[in-house]
Amino acid sequence: MTNYQNKEEQALERIVNEMLQLDAEVTQAAELEENPDKGYTFKAWRAEQKALHNIKRILHEAHKYDGYEEKEEEQTEKDLQDLEDYQKMVEDY
């Protein structure tokens, strides 16, 4: 039973670390934003999405969550790269 408790504690510790990293990234994004009244920034949204993906993975590895998609993060990164490429193309036009 202690092995199970140890794994559970490790999973919770990893989730805590993800949340701390998310808090730091969202705070940094808010500080970089010129106008804090603009609301939610893209960088903050991206940090949140990455943290949620990592938390889903941690819970999946602990057999506590079945909705984890391994390729979800790769697809999000590809979509973001496509968006950045499109923005550069529009700016150059």
Side-chain angles (χ1 to χ4, degrees):
M1 191 63 163
T2 58
N3 190 27
Y4 173 77
Q5 289 173 336
N6 188 24
K7 285 184 180 182
E8 188 175 82
E9 287 178 24
Q10 288 176 349
L12 289 174
E13 186 63 33
R14 290 171 65 194
I15 291 171
V16 168
N17 289 337
E18 283 296 326
M19 293 306 296
L20 291 173
Q21 183 176 351
L22 170 63
D23 285 342
E25 289 180 17
V26 168
T27 300
Q28 182 183 21
E31 290 172 357
L32 293 176
E33 187 67 32
E34 292 178 7
N35 184 0
D37 294 338
K38 278 186 170 180
Y40 210 54
T41 66
F42 180 74
K43 285 186 177 189
W45 174 84
R46 182 64 193 118
E48 182 181 88
Q49 294 303 309
K50 188 173 184 178
L52 287 174
H53 176 78
N54 289 337
I55 289 169
K56 287 178 184 179
R57 179 180 39 80
I58 293 165
L59 291 172
H60 177 76
E61 289 171 357
H63 305 289
K64 298 290 184 184
Y65 182 74
D66 292 330
Y68 173 69
E69 300 272 338
E70 189 172 339
K71 302 233 179 214
E72 179 182 51
E73 182 69 14
E74 292 174 18
Q75 184 61 44
T76 301
E77 289 295 329
K78 182 187 176 304
D79 292 344
L80 290 174
Q81 185 61 48
D82 290 346
L83 177 63
E84 289 176 6
D85 292 345
Y86 176 76
Q87 286 176 331
K88 287 178 185 175
M89 184 184 72
V90 169
E91 289 173 0
D92 290 344
Y93 182 71

